[in-house]
Amino acid sequence: MLSHLKEQPADKILALMKMYRDDPRPQKIDLGVGVYKDAEGKTPIFRAIKAAEKKLWEQEETKSYVGLIGDPAYRDALAGLILGDAVPSENIAGAATPGGTGAVRQCFELARMANPDVRVWVSDPTWPNHLSILKFMGLPFTEYRYFDSETRAVDFDGMMEDLAEAKAGDLVLLHGCCHNPTGANLNLSQWQAVTDLLLKTGATPMIDIAYQGFGDGLDEDAAGTRLVASSVPELLIAASCSKNFGIYRERAGLAMAISQDAARRDIHEGALAHLNRQNFSFPPDHGTRLVTMVLNDPELRADWAAELEDIRLGMLKLREHLAAELQEQSGSDRFGFVAEHRGMFSRIGTTPDKVERLREEHAIYMVGDSRLNIAGLNKHTVPILAKAIVDAGI
């Protein structure tokens, strides 16, 4: 039986990481991997997470299972962080998942359970794993215009024109903030227009929010999600704690189903529990418990929020520095979008051959679609990258 298995295509980002590791050039720069790095190139553990982990080590008395949806306190704490008071807590069903990817998968599974003929609308471009999961599940999807490769901003007119074709029973996947891979985001008035369109078409929104606090601030980054949640009849949310809590390997995610009808909550949460049981039974607890402890302890929460804000401001400073260096090196303001984008990523809008030239001639590694990780830079490497981009004819 197993002899019939075929070799799977390599994950492009993981393949890029291997190429970077194998490159002997000391001046190499990694802008491909999707994790936050500080100025020393390390992915640090938050102070509050360290403190919570120490408390947990001292206080935890069992490693027994928690429950199919995880600890409800985690659902409540993370839902509160994301949604604020936009939706009553009794309207929110949620289940812990193995990371944000697990939450995405479970939201897709829930949508298919509710409508076996569901069609998913995804932005062009989107996080590649969205498409990979949809293809693996055999779910039909349609891409809607999102990114203008000339302006490197949101093609909002194109987006609205395409999404006007969505119908009741369709699922519209939106990025909550810090769009991956482009860094181009909707403003609040655009979120309102999208919400109005969803109400008109009857399509159900799903929001993937993985970078809250990395863009304009914790509340600002959640503003679009809160607007949608308070306006539409139902909403799915896939949330990740990997980035904004720095617990990548702990795999802490949350799948939420929100309805204006509070009587539906138990049904929705029962469906999520059932899906967890079919896929992996009980979700991981260690990372989710750390998140719960941080969010429910005022002192730890304040320290976490302060460190997260330092990270956010550091990435904004790098964006401004890179935009200024590119303007100086090129004599043009065509790279001003870098300072306008938010989150870890920006798509600089060039061809795969020029991305390859950056790698071969300058030891600069980024994804082939020209997505670069701003957090992979520091004040010393920004001028090097700017010069290489200009020298490559981008």
Side-chain angles (χ1 to χ4, degrees), residues 90-91 259-268:
E90 59 267 23
N91 294 42
S259 172
Q260 298 298 338
D261 181 3
R264 301 291 302 175
R265 171 182 165 164
D266 288 348
I267 294 174
H268 297 162

Side-chain angles (χ1 to χ4, degrees), residues 135-389:
K135 290 174 182 176
F136 183 79
M137 293 177 66
L139 290 181
F141 63 88
T142 300
E143 294 179 314
Y144 60 86
R145 282 171 284 175
Y146 185 84
F147 187 66
D148 186 325
S149 58
E150 293 297 321
T151 64
R152 278 81 157 187
V154 176
D155 177 7
F156 190 64
D157 290 342
M159 176 183 181
M160 293 292 285
E161 183 179 342
D162 290 347
L163 288 182
E165 300 298 318
K167 297 178 175 61
D170 288 353
L171 190 68
V172 175
L173 177 57
L174 303 162
H175 294 228
C177 62
C178 305
H179 187 273
N180 179 8
T182 70
N185 300 288
L186 301 176
N187 59 42
L188 202 54
S189 65
Q190 290 170 331
W191 273 107
Q192 182 65 66
V194 170
T195 301
D196 293 341
L197 183 60
L198 289 166
L199 290 169
K200 181 179 179 181
T201 63
T204 298
M206 170 181 162
I207 296 177
D208 184 353
I209 183 162
Y211 300 93
Q212 185 183 357
F214 269 37
D216 291 310
L218 281 166
D219 289 328
E220 293 84 352
D221 290 348
T225 300
R226 293 172 183 177
L227 175 62
V228 175
S230 64
S231 304
V232 300
E234 56 188 22
L235 166 68
L236 300 181
I237 297 177
S240 170
C241 299
S242 293
K243 284 79 177 178
N244 56 1
F245 286 87
I247 52 173
Y248 298 86
R249 66 178 61 173
E250 303 297 352
R251 312 311 299 138
L254 183 69
M256 285 185 276
I258 299 164
S259 172
Q260 298 298 338
D261 181 3
R264 301 291 302 175
R265 171 182 165 164
D266 288 348
I267 294 174
H268 297 162
E269 199 152 277
L272 287 169
H274 174 77
L275 289 171
N276 275 10
R277 183 61 163 168
Q278 308 318 304
N279 284 314
F280 46 78
S281 282
F282 302 94
D285 179 72
H286 186 76
T288 62
R289 192 159 297 276
L290 296 177
V291 170
T292 307
M293 292 173 69
V294 168
L295 291 178
N296 288 339
D297 182 303
E299 186 176 341
L300 290 179
R301 182 168 182 149
D303 187 50
W304 163 75
E307 188 168 4
L308 180 60
E309 180 68 358
D310 287 342
I311 288 171
R312 183 185 77 84
L313 293 175
M315 286 191 290
L316 285 181
K317 189 173 181 179
L318 286 170
R319 286 188 173 280
E320 292 165 358
H321 187 187
L322 180 57
E325 285 286 344
L326 284 165
Q327 183 175 25
E328 182 177 336
Q329 295 276 356
S330 67
S332 165
D333 61 359
R334 69 181 185 274
F335 294 103
F337 65 88
V338 172
E340 299 299 322
H341 287 173
R342 288 294 182 268
M344 289 203 305
F345 306 116
S346 275
R347 177 182 274 194
I348 60 174
T350 191
T351 56
D353 62 302
K354 290 182 178 178
V355 171
E356 186 175 353
R357 183 176 171 187
L358 285 173
R359 184 173 67 249
E360 291 181 349
E361 297 181 11
H362 302 278
I364 293 173
Y365 285 76
M366 67 177 68
V367 182
D369 65 1
S370 76
R371 185 198 82 170
L372 61 86
N373 182 357
I374 293 293
L377 293 167
N378 59 47
K379 64 181 181 180
H380 304 294
T381 56
V382 164
I384 297 171
L385 173 63
K387 185 177 186 305
I389 287 174

Side-chain angles (χ1 to χ4, degrees), residues 46-176:
F46 278 72
R47 296 184 300 266
I49 291 293
K50 273 284 193 185
E53 205 155 30
K54 184 176 180 180
K55 284 186 178 182
L56 182 60
W57 182 79
E58 293 171 342
Q59 298 172 2
E60 191 172 41
E61 296 178 346
T62 181
K63 291 291 186 182
S64 183
Y65 296 125
V66 175
L68 287 174
I69 65 166
D71 187 345
Y74 168 66
R75 173 202 62 206
D76 295 343
L78 193 57
L81 177 70
I82 296 168
L83 294 167
D85 59 1
V87 179
S89 60
E90 59 267 23
N91 294 42
I92 305 169
T97 60
T101 303
V104 168
R105 175 63 183 262
Q106 296 300 69
C107 284
F108 288 157
E109 293 279 10
L110 189 68
R112 180 166 64 179
M113 178 186 285
N115 176 18
D117 298 319
V118 66
R119 174 175 57 159
V120 183
W121 293 77
V122 296
S123 64
D124 180 17
T126 191
W127 181 46
N129 216 24
H130 285 151
L131 303 182
S132 179
I133 293 170
L134 288 170
K135 290 174 182 176
F136 183 79
M137 293 177 66
L139 290 181
F141 63 88
T142 300
E143 294 179 314
Y144 60 86
R145 282 171 284 175
Y146 185 84
F147 187 66
D148 186 325
S149 58
E150 293 297 321
T151 64
R152 278 81 157 187
V154 176
D155 177 7
F156 190 64
D157 290 342
M159 176 183 181
M160 293 292 285
E161 183 179 342
D162 290 347
L163 288 182
E165 300 298 318
K167 297 178 175 61
D170 288 353
L171 190 68
V172 175
L173 177 57
L174 303 162
H175 294 228

